[in-house]
Amino acid sequence: MSKTLVCTCEDVTVEDFEKAIARGYKDVESVKRYTGFGTGVCQGKSCLARAAQLLCDKGGEPPEKLGPITPRPPFRPTRFGALASVEDFDEVPPKGIPPPINLQSSPYRPSEPAPARAKIVIIGGGIMGLALAWNLAKRGERDVVVLEKGYLCAGASGRNGGGVRMQWSTRANIELAKRSMELCKSFARELGVNIWLRQGGYLFLVRTDEGARRLERNVRLQNSLGVRTELISPDGARDVVPQLSAKGIVAAAFNPDDGVIFPWPFLWGYASGAQKLGVRVETFTKVTGFQIAQGRVRAVETDRGPIQCEQVVLASGAWSPQIAQLAGVKLPNEPHRHEILVTEPLKPFLNPLVSVLDSGLYFSQSMRGEIVGGMGDPHEPPGLEMGSTFGFLARFSKAILEQVPVLGDVKVVRQWAGCYDVTPDNAPILGRTPELPNLVQMSGFVGHGFMMAPAVAERTAAWLAGEKDELFEKFSLARFAEGRLEKEDFIIG
Ligand SMILES: Cc1cc2nc3c(=O)[nH]c(=O)nc-3n(C[C@H](O)[C@H](O)[C@H](O)COP(=O)(O)OP(=O)(O)OC[C@H]3O[C@@H](n4cnc5c(N)ncnc54)[C@H](O)[C@@H]3O)c2cc1C
């Protein structure tokens, strides 16, 4: 066993690299996400060359195939205090940096053709697609192919805050979240991967009387469904997080059973679990169209050739509308960028994930000690933008320091962005497509798909196997045409 370190910031060893390579992950972006190398304070400046050499020596990759990892701003770790002092930034956020990677030119695209056929093709190797693949395989349906245009974790599932909460405003979402939490707790036992679940609770703060009434309504519903959320005063919030100023806060809600997980292992767990059961996960494979005849999808076209199939599941997150369009189907969801950042690690002090509902600010402390936080921007136009902006750093820093002033000297190490997949009622789109019944919808999870995935995937696999489930009527695509919205109003950001 080698304890030789490759990445000293994140304690990543040569052995960790060997394990990643043995699992088939050889491109630098996948190995970064599998091992965590390059995500610490130096951001890969001291370990990237060694990492690349290992991928050549042990992974057998030629040097010309190894690009650098995506650089993430800020260039140097920078104090919240300094960032919060910046006043001059664009109201409408610019594209940001870094520019998007062109995955079409990726040297990792396999040269052999895609599998010629599969009973079920799942488009999207995010948490939804992979969790569904694993659930299908667990039920015995193993003739499944997952298509992912990039590396695993490329979409929102590799870019989110890892929050898992049961505080919602609708019965359907509370029940799904409760089941997901149970499945998160048994994940390591069932899939052999530690997702670093920490149940420190979620503390919601509101600044207005209307917000307080909303909390009150939601807490009543949550309690009636067995979730032990409590309505508390601003002083009560300070008992939960003593460092909180609670400035401008009029009420709070706290559920001690909510929590956070570390996103990347959640994906790896489902991916490797599905693959062990025979599912084929085809990365760097882009869906480019559909062959449709007599009202059914007959084949999915990819940049590695067509795949004949019986059913197709559209689990492509924020990209779902543009892929549905290739089949002539119009979806009402819109992508919206959400930015997020991480700080240097601190000693554990923050138990819950804290969110100020009115501003969209949220932050938690990871098991590695970092503060992870994000904030929605009401000026963000729709689009698949994923660059990081300086304005976000300034806005977030001001907002977090207003609530936790003691963090002024803590340094931001890394920022990135992903897309929320937003529907008109903030509820997902599930079930059959009216005009193409073998095209199954599984998108529109806004900012909460990560926590919903275990339960939604479990129920989708059962429903595809023929079990009746009202969820697929409730959240059907047809509801928009029928004017039957399922409004969820407890959205962060
Ligand atoms: C900043 C941020 C913070 C968030 N915080 C939380 C949180 O705390 N808790 C929570 O539950 N949720 C959170 N979310 C939301 C959550 O991440 C998403 O709802 C969830 O990850 C969606 O999963 P998905 O599988 O539907 O989509 P994705 O993970 O986006 O996967 C879709 C995949 O489809 C692939 N794809 C696209 N086009 C094609 C094509 N043509 N061919 C093949 N593949 C294609 C993409 O590359 C992508 O990997 C957050 C999101 C963001 C952006």
Side-chain angles (χ1 to χ4, degrees), residues 124 126-128 148-149 155-157 160-163 287 319 418 447-451:
I127 199 69
M128 285 295 161
E148 168 52 54
K149 72 173 174 164
S157 303
N160 65 73
V287 170
W319 292 267
H448 47 281
F450 212 62
M451 67 184 90

Side-chain angles (χ1 to χ4, degrees), residues 6-234:
V6 180
C7 168
T8 47
C9 301
E10 294 296 316
D11 261 359
V12 180
T13 63
V14 170
E15 194 187 359
D16 293 327
F17 268 71
E18 287 168 350
K19 280 190 186 148
I21 291 165
R23 279 172 175 74
Y25 303 121
K26 294 182 183 174
D27 67 289
V28 80
E29 294 287 1
S30 299
V31 175
K32 169 182 159 186
R33 286 159 182 80
Y34 191 80
T35 64
F37 98 82
T39 61
V41 174
C42 92
Q43 289 235 56
K45 293 185 187 77
S46 33
C47 61
L48 184 57
R50 176 79 180 117
Q53 191 183 359
L54 278 171
L55 291 173
C56 290
D57 293 350
K58 296 188 184 280
E61 295 298 318
E64 59 275 15
K65 261 190 147 184
L66 293 169
I69 46 177
T70 313
R72 299 282 177 209
F75 181 67
R76 284 196 194 88
T78 309
R79 292 170 45 245
F80 275 134
L83 294 166
S85 68
V86 176
E87 291 295 343
D88 187 21
F89 51 85
D90 302 309
E91 192 168 86
V92 177
K95 281 183 183 308
I97 51 170
I101 305 176
N102 179 6
L103 288 166
Q104 281 324 96
S105 65
S106 167
Y108 287 98
R109 177 139 54 95
S111 48
E112 72 274 13
R117 67 162 314 283
K119 191 163 166 197
I120 302 178
V121 171
I122 299 173
I123 307 175
I127 199 69
M128 285 295 161
L130 294 169
L132 175 62
W134 181 72
N135 274 281
L136 285 167
K138 198 171 87 153
R139 298 179 67 93
E141 183 51 78
R142 291 167 187 193
D143 189 7
V144 176
V145 168
V146 179
L147 300 175
E148 168 52 54
K149 72 173 174 164
Y151 46 86
L152 298 184
C153 300
S157 303
R159 297 165 180 266
N160 65 73
V164 189
R165 61 169 154 127
M166 292 171 279
Q167 296 186 61
W168 289 101
S169 72
T170 64
R171 169 181 283 269
N173 276 343
I174 295 170
E175 283 171 351
L176 284 169
K178 278 179 68 183
R179 178 64 185 149
S180 275
M181 182 58 94
E182 276 173 33
L183 293 168
C184 285
K185 285 194 211 167
S186 60
F187 196 89
R189 214 170 35 245
E190 190 141 25
L191 281 140
V193 172
N194 181 359
I195 54 172
W196 299 22
L197 169 66
R198 187 172 67 78
Q199 286 179 281
Y202 253 63
L203 177 65
F204 276 111
L205 307 170
V206 291
R207 293 170 189 273
T208 61
D209 291 340
E210 198 288 317
R213 283 192 292 277
R214 190 145 63 105
L215 283 190
E216 216 173 299
R217 260 194 324 270
N218 292 346
V219 169
R220 256 200 311 273
L221 178 64
Q222 290 154 20
N223 291 165
S224 75
L225 294 169
V227 177
R228 53 181 189 139
T229 316
E230 258 187 278
L231 208 56
I232 55 178
S233 65

Side-chain angles (χ1 to χ4, degrees), residues 267-336:
L267 268 90
W268 299 128
Y270 278 128
S272 61
Q275 282 169 310
K276 273 185 208 147
L277 295 176
V279 169
R280 289 158 290 170
V281 178
E282 302 286 331
T283 49
F284 299 102
T285 304
K286 183 177 181 178
V287 170
T288 54
F290 297 92
Q291 292 174 14
I292 295 169
Q294 281 107 39
R296 293 184 73 78
V297 178
R298 305 290 162 171
V300 174
E301 283 170 357
T302 78
D303 55 3
R304 294 171 53 209
I307 306 175
Q308 311 293 324
C309 57
E310 291 174 22
Q311 310 235 40
V312 183
V313 181
L314 188 56
S316 324
W319 292 267
S320 297
Q322 62 173 225
I323 299 175
Q325 192 78 54
L326 299 173
V329 173
K330 186 162 169 39
L331 296 185
N333 12 0
E334 265 185 355
H336 279 263

